[in-house]
């Protein structure tokens, strides 16, 4: 979008944070490409007062362009939403307004109103599938003027995990530090040695399958090599969710029908079915709650993320025989 004249009002919708930020940044860059001196006002929805938008979008005596960014627009109060919607219907020629909304019900009146008023809408789709993450990796490497082999992309995903920010950072570092035009699996192994072998998924599999000593050893090793606690707790939660999904699937579905119903590849369903041995509803519920508690702890609710993760792993293993 940079290098083109942006729409007077742009609505960025979606909760994929990194991609939403990039979409907002692209509009800001496009506005400043047309006027390098444009003043940027970066606001947060919950702190935008009534009348503030009107003040910021009032014509300048010197004809200077301004850019107003409102992030977390779902948190705007009712009166301010009405002000924004009214402005979107008759925007100023000297201002570019960018609204970032995660989607969902909260603040839906804003989304509907500015869409009806004719705002440009940029939709940021959530990346949920492994194939989409692999495409993201390939896209990041391409942005750096390089390419990456399919097995190298998979190795990088296995090593770094699902967080897009970490994947983007890893891609940037690889592109900067390697010389080959096409990045191969050997290059990934050099810069992520060990992390591909011991990831959150290994920890989760060991815990779910009841191998406590192995799970704890892998957990400590992963933390020691720089794997983010949030990725580890996410892997544990994902493993338990898979158990719940497969365990609760209709018994009459088989093969491709079951895979389509669950949104999981057949090989993963087969593995989860094997892991279900020894699990019951009460034990699974207890394990999911323990991981939810750990998630809160590693995201700032506790002082020791490592302890919270070790405790969660212990509870998961102990819950495995719960019926």
């Amino acid at each position: 979008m940079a290098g083109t004249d942006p729409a007077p009002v742009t609505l960025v919708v979606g909760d994929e944070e990194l991609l939403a930020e990039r979409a907002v940044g692209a509009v800001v860059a496009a506005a400043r490409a047309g006027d390098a001196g444009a003043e940027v006002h970066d606001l947060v929805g919950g702190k935008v007062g009534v009348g503030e938008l009107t003040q910021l979008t009032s014509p300048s005596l010197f004809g200077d362009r301004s850019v107003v960014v409102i992030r977390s627009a779902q948190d705007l109060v009712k009166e301010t939403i009405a002000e924004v919607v009214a402005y979107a219907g008759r925007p100023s020629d000297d201002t570019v307004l960018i609204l970032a909304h995660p989607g969902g019900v909260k603040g839906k009146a804003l989304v509907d109103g500015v869409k009806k008023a004719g705002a440009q809408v940029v939709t940021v789709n959530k990346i949920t599938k492994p194939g989409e993450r692999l495409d993201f990796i390939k896209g990041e490497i391409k942005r750096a003027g390089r390419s990456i082999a399919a097995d190298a992309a998979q190795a990088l995903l296995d090593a770094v995990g699902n967080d897009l920010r970490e994947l983007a950072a890893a891609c940037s570092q690889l592109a900067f530090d390697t010389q080959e035009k096409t990045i191969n699996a050997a290059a990934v192994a050099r810069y992520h040695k060990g992390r591909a072998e011991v990831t959150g998924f290994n920890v989760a599999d060991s815990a779910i399958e009841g191998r406590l000593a192995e799970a704890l050893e892998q957990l400590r090793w992963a933390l020691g090599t720089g794997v983010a606690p949030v990725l580890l707790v996410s892997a544990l939660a994902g493993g338990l969710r898979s158990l719940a999904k497969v365990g609760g699937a209709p018994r009459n579905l088989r093969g491709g029908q079951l895979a389509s119903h669950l949104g999981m590849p057949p090989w993963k369903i087969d593995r989860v079915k094997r892991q279900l041995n020894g699990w019951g509803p009460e034990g699974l519920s207890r394990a999911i709650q323990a991981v939810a508690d750990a998630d809160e702890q590693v995201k700032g609710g506790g002082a020791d993320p490592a302890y919270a993760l070790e405790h969660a792993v212990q509870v998961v293993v102990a819950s495995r025989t719960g019926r």
Side-chain angles (χ1 to χ4, degrees), residues 201 204 208 233-243 268 291:
F201 299 106
I208 286 170
V233 78
S234 175
L236 282 167
L240 292 170
R241 283 196 300 269
S242 294
L243 288 180
K268 185 172 182 180
V291 173

Side-chain angles (χ1 to χ4, degrees), residues 119-183:
Q120 176 173 304
V121 179
V122 178
T123 301
V124 178
N125 294 319
K126 190 78 173 176
I127 292 182
T128 58
K129 298 177 181 177
E132 293 171 339
R133 293 191 182 93
L134 289 172
D135 288 340
F136 174 80
I137 290 172
K138 294 172 185 175
E140 289 296 292
I141 298 296
K142 186 176 180 180
R143 278 161 57 101
R146 312 284 286 286
S147 62
I148 185 168
D151 60 342
Q154 184 64 60
L156 186 61
L157 180 60
D158 291 342
V160 177
N162 296 333
D163 185 84
L164 290 195
R165 289 188 186 279
E166 293 204 6
L167 284 172
C171 288
S172 176
Q173 192 67 45
L174 271 174
F176 181 80
D177 287 340
T178 58
Q179 301 300 318
E180 302 90 344
K181 183 178 179 180
T182 299
I183 297 171

Side-chain angles (χ1 to χ4, degrees), residues 16-207:
E16 193 66 81
E17 188 176 318
L18 174 64
L19 301 184
E21 285 182 7
R22 286 183 175 179
V24 170
V27 182
V28 173
R32 300 198 73 179
D35 183 354
E39 186 176 3
V40 179
H41 304 276
D42 206 322
L43 312 174
V44 178
K47 296 183 179 179
V48 178
V50 177
E52 189 170 355
L53 177 65
T54 300
Q55 180 181 353
L56 292 174
T57 57
S58 297
S60 167
L61 291 175
F62 304 101
D64 295 333
R65 193 177 215 184
S66 65
V67 181
V68 179
V69 180
I70 301 180
R71 304 179 190 274
S72 301
Q74 75 279 6
D75 294 330
L76 291 168
V77 298
K78 183 178 180 181
E79 294 79 8
T80 307
I81 287 177
E83 182 183 352
V84 171
V85 171
Y87 172 83
R90 303 183 67 179
S92 166
D93 292 334
D94 298 325
T95 302
V96 173
L97 174 63
I98 309 162
L99 305 162
H101 190 289
V105 176
K106 188 176 182 182
K108 190 172 184 297
L110 172 74
V111 174
D112 293 342
V114 296
K115 281 183 177 179
K116 188 175 181 180
Q120 176 173 304
V121 179
V122 178
T123 301
V124 178
N125 294 319
K126 190 78 173 176
I127 292 182
T128 58
K129 298 177 181 177
E132 293 171 339
R133 293 191 182 93
L134 289 172
D135 288 340
F136 174 80
I137 290 172
K138 294 172 185 175
E140 289 296 292
I141 298 296
K142 186 176 180 180
R143 278 161 57 101
R146 312 284 286 286
S147 62
I148 185 168
D151 60 342
Q154 184 64 60
L156 186 61
L157 180 60
D158 291 342
V160 177
N162 296 333
D163 185 84
L164 290 195
R165 289 188 186 279
E166 293 204 6
L167 284 172
C171 288
S172 176
Q173 192 67 45
L174 271 174
F176 181 80
D177 287 340
T178 58
Q179 301 300 318
E180 302 90 344
K181 183 178 179 180
T182 299
I183 297 171
N184 56 32
V188 174
R190 284 199 304 271
Y191 289 94
H192 297 275
K193 187 177 181 181
R195 293 185 69 182
E197 287 74 29
V198 182
T199 66
F201 299 106
N202 298 111
V203 176
D205 286 342
S206 295

Side-chain angles (χ1 to χ4, degrees), residues 240-254:
L240 292 170
R241 283 196 300 269
S242 294
L243 288 180
K245 286 175 68 175
V246 174
R251 302 297 179 188
N252 61 323
L253 296 182
R254 296 286 187 277

Side-chain angles (χ1 to χ4, degrees), residues 208 235-251 258 261-264 268-269 271-289 291 316:
I208 286 170
L236 282 167
L240 292 170
R241 283 196 300 269
S242 294
L243 288 180
K245 286 175 68 175
V246 174
R251 302 297 179 188
L258 181 59
H261 177 77
L262 295 175
M264 296 167 62
K268 185 172 182 180
I269 293 174
R271 187 178 70 184
V272 174
K273 281 182 176 179
R274 292 192 296 270
Q275 291 177 331
L276 270 169
N277 182 38
W279 282 97
E282 291 183 9
L284 186 55
S285 176
R286 196 157 49 242
I288 290 173
Q289 183 59 55
V291 173
V316 169

